[in-house]
Amino acid sequence: MSRDPYRIWILSGLPGVLTGAMEEGILRIAQEKGLARVQVINLRDHTDDRHRTIDDAPYGGGPGMILMVEPVIRALRALPEADGNREVFLLSPRGETLVQKRVEELSKLDELVLICGRYKGVDERIRTYITGELSLGDYVLSGGELAAAVIADAIVRLLPDVLGCYDSALGDSFTSGLLDSSYYTRPEVFDGLSVPPVLLSGHHGKVEKWRRMDSLQRTLIHRPDLLEGSELTPEDQAHLRKLGWEPIERCDT
């Protein structure tokens, strides 16, 4: 039994920023396959003044402009009635930082609405109408459009049958809690740099073991913080200790 397309609505004051992302790569493929539908809603279409205004100066004074509540909530109310489990998120610096586990949870929804923050901030009353808030990290973008494209891509690629090889997604960095291993393709030698012989051996067991050990080493070097939250086998731990890893000792209280 086929499931209905995963629905994503992106509410934005600058929909043109999102045009290219929706028409290329995985987002395009998913929509062509009928597995996802991504629709960008122009907040300016939900205004009633001739300038199509969506921002205004803050009450009480201060620098910058504020995204107005009225066009955002009008746009929300104009969406079709939810056909399944729908959640609404504001993209803002104070939101929870998006990680792969959260992306996997969001991919289990039926529908997702992303409100792109912009300007100095948003009218606080917008937060009355949302499920939660999301952020890509501790840095500032000019608006939520680029973040919305990232989130849509991260979710859609996890939907069944979107990727040609779903196992590829299962092995991605962060999916297992670790960074992914190194990969190589043709030619076997380039500028004196050779592919590790084990990858040419044809021995699947040895290849998988090499990739696991390489994944652990890359994680230790580049993101050692991820190791503390990962499920490590005794073999994993022994390999890491050879590389100089010292697990953090936790005291039960």
Side-chain angles (χ1 to χ4, degrees):
M1 180 177 179
S2 61
R3 82 172 250 172
D4 292 333
Y6 189 104
R7 297 293 305 268
I8 300 176
W9 284 275
I10 302 175
L11 279 52
S12 166
L14 291 176
V17 175
L18 292 153
T19 301
M22 301 304 114
E23 296 177 352
E24 300 288 348
I26 288 297
L27 290 173
R28 174 185 62 80
I29 292 169
Q31 294 184 86
E32 289 179 351
K33 288 183 175 182
L35 301 173
R37 292 183 63 187
V38 185
Q39 187 172 351
V40 181
I41 306 297
N42 190 345
L43 291 175
R44 298 184 188 278
D45 292 339
H46 297 274
T47 60
D48 52 17
D49 69 306
R50 65 189 183 94
H51 298 294
R52 306 175 77 201
T53 306
I54 62 171
D55 65 302
D56 206 343
Y59 282 124
M65 301 293 278
I66 305 300
L67 182 64
M68 300 166 67
V69 61
E70 194 167 28
V72 173
I73 305 313
R74 282 182 176 180
L76 274 179
R77 289 174 172 166
L79 295 178
E81 185 176 348
D83 186 19
N85 189 8
R86 175 192 291 176
E87 295 191 7
V88 180
F89 288 90
L90 173 66
L91 306 181
S92 79
R94 84 176 205 184
E96 64 173 300
T97 302
L98 193 68
V99 295
Q100 186 64 24
K101 182 178 179 180
R102 189 68 168 114
V103 173
E104 292 168 4
E105 293 171 352
L106 294 174
S107 73
K108 301 297 192 298
L109 297 172
D110 299 299
E111 304 182 2
L112 181 68
V113 181
L114 300 174
I115 302 172
C116 297
R118 184 158 281 275
Y119 312 111
K120 177 66 175 176
V122 304
D123 189 303
E124 187 66 22
R125 290 167 291 187
I126 291 172
R127 292 186 164 93
T128 304
Y129 301 86
I130 64 175
T131 306
E133 300 180 49
L134 295 172
S135 169
L136 295 188
D138 295 339
Y139 53 90
V140 179
L141 296 172
S142 298
E145 284 76 16
L146 296 178
V150 169
I151 293 169
D153 183 279
I155 290 172
V156 165
R157 67 190 307 279
L158 294 180
L159 302 179
D161 301 322
V162 169
L163 294 180
C165 177
Y166 184 67
D167 287 347
S168 174
L170 296 179
D172 286 340
S173 292
F174 306 114
T175 300
S176 67
L178 305 174
L179 296 183
D180 202 358
S181 65
S182 308
Y183 289 95
Y184 300 82
T185 188
R186 295 181 296 176
E188 291 183 18
V189 180
F190 178 77
D191 263 357
L193 303 172
S194 300
V195 175
V198 65
L199 300 179
L200 307 174
S201 68
H203 193 298
H204 296 298
K206 290 182 179 179
V207 169
E208 288 306 308
K209 182 176 180 179
W210 181 88
R211 284 182 172 157
R212 178 65 178 182
M213 297 300 106
D214 187 63
S215 172
L216 290 166
Q217 180 171 330
R218 296 182 83 202
T219 303
L220 177 62
I221 293 172
H222 300 289
R223 287 294 305 276
D225 56 297
L226 296 176
L227 294 172
E228 301 307 322
S230 299
E231 295 184 8
L232 302 175
T233 67
E235 184 179 19
D236 292 339
Q237 295 183 39
H239 180 68
L240 287 167
R241 285 192 171 95
K242 289 180 181 179
L243 298 172
W245 175 66
E246 295 183 4
I248 297 175
E249 297 292 339
R250 290 182 171 81
C251 298
D252 294 332
T253 56

